[in-house]
Amino acid sequence: MSAINPRAESVGIVLAAGHGSRMRSRIPKPLHSAAGKELIRYSVDLMVECGIPTIVVVASPGNVDAIGAVLGDQIHYAVQPQAGGTADAVAHGLAGLLTMPKTVAVMSADTPLVRAESLEKLLDQHASGSHAPMTILTAPNAFGMDLGHVHRSGSVDPSGVGPVSAIVEARDRDADAPDPTEVNTGVYCFDGKWLAENIGRVPRSGSGELYLTSLAEMAADTGNAVVAAPFALPDEAMGVNDRQQLSAVETVLRDRINCHWMREGVTIVDLATTYIDATVSIGQDAVIRPNTMLIGQTTIGEDCEIGPNSVIRDSAVADRCRIIASVVEGSSVHADVSIGPFSHLRPQAIIESGVHLGNYVEVKNSRVGSGSAAGHFCYLGDADIGTDVNIGAGTITCNYDGVDKHRTVVGDHAFIGSDTMLVAPVTVGPHGLTGAGSVVIRDVPPAGRVVGVPAKLLPTNDEE
Ligand code: UD1
Ligand code: CA
């Protein structure tokens, strides 16, 4: 018989309505990104990682479509018509549920630093038989002067878990109150039945909002022990209410991501200048040199050397590549490729294995076949370059006639002389050759040799 999984009976609610006015942004706060990932995705991914099967995002009428476009239809959505406070948001989240689950986990869409380990411990603590109607994930106070302060009411067990008398919001705190030692991360587990019965009874706060945190005092006053579970590290409580906090959170995430990849066997030469998005993966024994950004849907293979001074965005780089002082965007780089310094791969560049792209090479929407080389300043746009082709210095595919873009095809083993202009559409056959300075406006047959402006076919050896 398989073990009963209590999480299978839980629902997660992510609060993503509200004004987010402190961001001073036209973009909804949950859709601002940190380390390349939208804030709300951190909360949703966390709940999924912890095995919560059903997730409801509470959005506002103004941001529900944008959030839905990002998260997709695996998530349930509830709309909170007015930003009436976090308790009102939870009430709207519960309203759409057909049955009340045993456990409701709640968190905000603006706390991307909460770790799976902490939510796991919170869920376990809540399920552990203490029968608390509300279990609150708390952290030691390090940065949290604008957070809810946890007031304890009794003895704690060896892990620090103990009853709470109230959570006092920073804005409602007495001026002479001592600095808080423990803060509310905004992550909770509730008994579903108790929550459904009490969410409508939350009193209006001085600010006019309905605070979810008021439930702590309400429960304590009626003899129900609300429990604080102090499992979070200080930085996990950092929320994003304004741009300074967004930057602070980004710094913590960056450090965590860098440390993760170092533990996985990646060398990072300079932590302070290495920016790796949460969405990136890196193979073993890769070396990331200073001043390098790995952005978006990027994968770096094993034994690669990336940087210094490189930006790789939305690209797949296979094993043993060297990319120095270059920008690679939306491209696929196969194994054993060397790029740079000062080259730029633009979207849809496919660089096959063993290719060398040297200084000042720009490639866009082109395939460069295996073993080919373009060592010095050139532009390859809308081109299909075969294998073992040599592209001389200064070669340009003239792909644009002022109206349309056209393709250039260069066959295997061709030799393109320095300063060749390939006026597309044009094909150079396999083993073809262009002389230095040629302007190629007509196709070159296989093994044909052309020179001049416009390039003319030289007689074959037989004809000479
Ligand atoms: C809240 C907690 C505070 C806790 C902190 C942790 C309350 C009253 N306070 O404060 O104790 O320390 O989070 O980060 O809950 N939201 C809605 N609808 C609303 C208002 C807010 O969905 O009407 C959402 C927001 O989008 C946000 C979350 O709820 O994701 C928290 O709201 P926010 O205004 O940021 O609360 P804090 O002041 O940070
Ligand atoms: Ca907040």
Side-chain angles (χ1 to χ4, degrees), residues 113 170 390:
L113 296 178
N390 185 76

Side-chain angles (χ1 to χ4, degrees), residues 15-18 22 29 58 80 82-86 89 108-111 146-148 167 169 171 184-186 188 211-213 237 239 241:
L15 306 183
R22 286 167 280 181
K29 180 168 77 171
V58 181
Q80 182 192 21
Q82 259 131 30
T86 44
S108 303
D110 67 351
T111 52
D146 69 343
L147 299 175
I167 296 177
E169 292 303 314
R171 66 198 87 133
N184 170 24
T185 62
Y188 321 85
Y211 291 163
L212 188 60
T213 44
N241 294 326

